[in-house]
Amino acid sequence: MRLGIRLLFAFFLINGIAAFFVLRVFMAEIKPSVREVMEDMMVDTANILAELASDDLAAGRLDQGASSPFAQHVRRYATRPIDAAIWGFAKQSLDYRIYVTDTAGRVLFDSENQAIGQDFSQWRDVALTLRGEYGARSTREVQGDDTSGVMHVAAPIYVQGQIAGVLTVAKPTRTVQRFIDRAERKVFMGGVLLLALSAAVGVAVTLWMVWNVRRLRDYALSVQGPADGEHAATPTLPLAVPEVPGELGDLARAMDRMRERLEGRDYIEGYVRALTHELKSPVAAIRGAGELLQDDLPPADRQQFAMQVVEQSERLQRLIDRLLELSKLEQRHPTAAHAPVALHDCARAALAHTQARAGQRGITLALGGTGASGPWEAELVTLALTNLLDNAIDFAPPGSTVAVELDGARAAVQDRGPGVPGYALPRLGERFFTTARPDGTRSGSGLGLAIVRRVMALHGGRMAVRNTQPGLRVELIFPGSGSSHRRRDDTLQVPQ
């Protein structure tokens, strides 16, 4: 199971359980809370009415019914028209039932005339009140039907400081049930909305977490060490260190420090292997020529072996110079924005650097197009074009032309040599990888195109190579060159 799904599942599980219990508590507390408020109001009502009924009870008028002013007022209350809007609900009936009992628990007055003369001494509201305690009860009118419950709250009637009777106020609980139902709906809908918002937050947090973890994963993949046998390849630029907060940011920085240590080790190891291999041939040639020069040789042979020592020494010098150039480039980070540089000026400078060598080989250098200007580093662009021209001069036949063609943010070097075998195209740009020259020799260092590829990587561009039959075309594509320039199907995009 993927990390994002696990995190999301865990969040929903925890959030769902918490929401369930919270909603359950709220829903379970609504009904008793409403009834507690209802009972509190009925306590006040019962005590007020008990005071109003005390004079009639003391005078014995409650037994006479119609002659009791209290009884008359209560019955008129029951017949009053009412039409009240209470928080969106219409109230059109008065629901209090009031009855009065004497000290023996016998009903003296009943606003509904249902229980006059009956013995209520065993009901909790009456019995407890007569004993001087708080008396209240809730009784169902229909057994097994919770909606038929009626709440009774009693208050003592005092005459000369003594309990002379009990007044009870009764109210059906169904009269407040609609308020309870509405409150439960509101709480439920609020809980669902809260759950939905929490889920949205959970999804956002999970996506954020997974996104940052994947950035770290991609960064780790970009900086992992090369596999066995790949030390000769020019290392690719790793992704920038992900800017993530908290512990993930600490992990990213730790990975970057680890990358620097690993790259330093692999860099040195790869260079030592490749350099050892490349130094074997010129060193062996110099040693062989030196040993022969120790013997008595004809002047012509001595001249030949001395020239061989000089040539191989120059080869070693070129190898070391290019190694130093490549080493500096590979330790650099991508270049920052520079002042606009004209590609045409860089091409002219590269032609000036290679004109003498081309003339020695009878090769003509040509420059076509104007090219664009961009925030590039002129010295590096000139270095890349110079190396491409040197490479083209090595492979171009005498009397031919090597052309530099500029088109927008693209620069191409075209020769008329034999090209490169198809199997070798993907490896162009690897350190110390060379192909045979037209005369069958392999005198190159294999570092020229590696330098070019690194320069393009530092500029965020790429190098494309293809055979043109005859010749080889190497194209430098800088950022901003656009997609309108179509490439032939046999063009190889050399990875940076």
Side-chain angles (χ1 to χ4, degrees):
M1 186 181 296
R2 299 181 70 86
L3 175 62
I5 298 176
R6 291 182 181 180
L7 290 175
L8 199 59
F9 177 76
F11 180 85
F12 273 119
L13 181 62
I14 296 172
N15 197 51
I17 293 175
F20 171 76
F21 283 108
V22 170
L23 284 176
R24 186 172 182 180
V25 169
F26 272 95
M27 298 288 281
E29 287 294 323
I30 289 175
K31 184 178 292 185
S33 297
V34 172
R35 291 184 177 179
E36 288 167 3
V37 173
M38 174 181 169
E39 183 176 351
D40 179 77
M41 297 176 62
M42 291 175 66
V43 169
D44 292 341
T45 302
N47 280 276
I48 291 175
L49 293 177
E51 285 297 319
L52 295 176
S54 61
D55 291 341
D56 284 1
L57 180 62
R61 289 191 292 268
L62 284 176
D63 288 337
Q64 300 174 10
S67 63
S68 169
F70 176 78
Q72 293 174 6
H73 287 309
V74 171
R75 287 195 173 94
R76 282 200 296 270
Y77 148 80
T79 60
R80 287 173 65 92
I82 182 71
D83 187 8
I86 304 174
W87 293 99
F89 288 117
K91 179 176 177 62
Q92 297 177 331
S93 64
L94 298 170
D95 305 306
Y96 276 147
R97 176 191 176 189
I98 302 168
Y99 59 83
V100 179
T101 63
D102 58 17
T103 54
R106 184 176 63 86
V107 179
L108 301 178
F109 168 76
D110 183 359
S111 62
E112 294 183 356
N113 294 319
Q114 295 179 356
I116 295 176
Q118 294 183 16
D119 183 6
F120 276 17
S121 62
Q122 300 303 313
W123 291 111
R124 286 177 54 85
D125 58 317
V126 176
L128 292 176
T129 304
L130 288 175
R131 293 203 300 264
E133 302 175 13
Y134 171 62
R137 65 184 172 92
S138 182
T139 306
R140 296 187 184 94
E141 293 180 341
V142 178
Q143 292 297 325
D145 184 3
D146 291 337
T147 62
S148 65
V150 179
M151 183 176 292
H152 299 74
V153 176
I157 301 175
Y158 292 100
V159 176
Q160 296 180 355
Q162 300 293 322
I163 297 177
V166 175
L167 183 142
T168 297
V169 176
K171 185 180 181 69
T173 56
R174 66 176 178 272
T175 59
V176 295
Q177 186 61 41
R178 52 185 177 172
F179 295 97
I180 294 174
D181 294 341
R182 183 174 66 178
E184 288 180 345
R185 285 195 301 271
K186 285 185 176 181
V187 170
F188 178 76
M189 293 305 296
V192 171
L193 178 60
L194 179 61
L195 183 62
L197 290 176
S198 300
V201 172
V203 171
V205 170
T206 300
L207 292 177
W208 176 84
M209 180 69 72
V210 171
W211 177 63
N212 282 301
V213 170
R214 287 181 177 174
R215 290 173 66 196
L216 288 177
R217 180 201 62 187
D218 294 341
Y219 178 70
L221 292 175
S222 73
V223 301
Q224 65 182 355
D228 292 340
E230 295 181 354
H231 297 284
T234 302
T236 60
L237 284 175
L239 299 176
V241 181
E243 292 293 337
V244 292
E247 288 78 3
L248 291 177
D250 296 338
L251 177 60
R253 288 184 286 275
M255 291 174 61
D256 186 54
R257 291 191 293 270
M258 179 180 67
R259 172 190 66 81
E260 291 177 352
R261 290 194 294 269
L262 290 176
E263 281 189 348
R265 185 192 66 185
D266 292 339
Y267 178 82
I268 294 173
E269 182 182 351
Y271 256 75
V272 168
R273 287 186 181 182
L275 182 59
T276 301
H277 180 269
E278 290 299 315
L279 290 177
K280 288 165 71 174
S281 295
V283 169
I286 292 174
R287 179 178 178 179
E291 290 176 350
L292 292 173
L293 287 173
Q294 294 177 358
D295 300 331
D296 292 331
L297 297 174
D301 292 340
R302 295 183 66 84
Q303 179 69 22
Q304 177 184 354
F305 290 127
M307 288 296 299
Q308 184 176 351
V309 171
V310 173
E311 290 176 357
Q312 295 300 322
S313 299
E314 291 176 349
R315 179 182 175 186
L316 286 175
Q317 185 63 48
R318 288 194 301 271
L319 177 63
I320 293 173
D321 291 342
R322 289 199 169 181
L323 272 175
L324 291 175
E325 289 178 353
L326 183 59
S327 176
K328 292 177 182 179
L329 291 175
E330 288 182 346
Q331 298 305 313
R332 289 185 57 170
H333 295 289
T335 59
H338 291 78
V341 172
L343 201 56
H344 189 271
D345 293 341
C346 296
R348 290 179 60 187
L351 289 173
H353 292 161
T354 55
Q355 185 66 54
R357 185 163 177 263
Q360 292 174 356
R361 299 178 62 89
I363 295 172
T364 302
L365 301 181
L367 175 62
T370 56
S373 296
W376 310 311
E377 190 168 343
E379 182 180 352
L380 294 185
V381 176
T382 302
L383 176 63
L385 290 173
T386 300
N387 278 279
L388 288 183
L389 286 170
D390 282 337
N391 191 72
I393 290 170
D394 285 341
F395 285 87
S400 64
T401 299
V402 172
V404 178
E405 302 172 5
L406 305 180
D407 182 10
R410 295 175 176 231
V413 175
Q414 173 74 57
D415 63 47
R416 292 293 182 267
V420 175
Y423 71 87
L425 283 175
R427 299 194 60 187
L428 292 180
E430 292 183 8
R431 291 196 304 262
F432 305 112
F433 176 77
T434 60
T435 58
R437 278 156 174 68
D439 58 2
T441 64
R442 289 179 179 264
S443 60
S445 65
L447 296 177
L449 291 182
I451 291 174
V452 174
R453 191 169 77 167
R454 183 61 182 178
V455 169
M456 296 309 296
L458 290 173
H459 285 87
R462 63 185 188 275
M463 179 177 74
V465 184
R466 63 184 171 92
N467 287 311
T468 54
Q469 298 176 356
L472 184 75
R473 183 181 183 86
V474 182
E475 190 171 12
L476 305 184
I477 305 171
F478 292 89
S481 59
S483 59
S484 61
H485 302 274
R486 297 185 178 273
R487 298 187 302 269
R488 288 178 46 178
D489 292 339
D490 57 350
T491 298
L492 176 68
Q493 299 297 314
V494 178
Q496 306 304 325

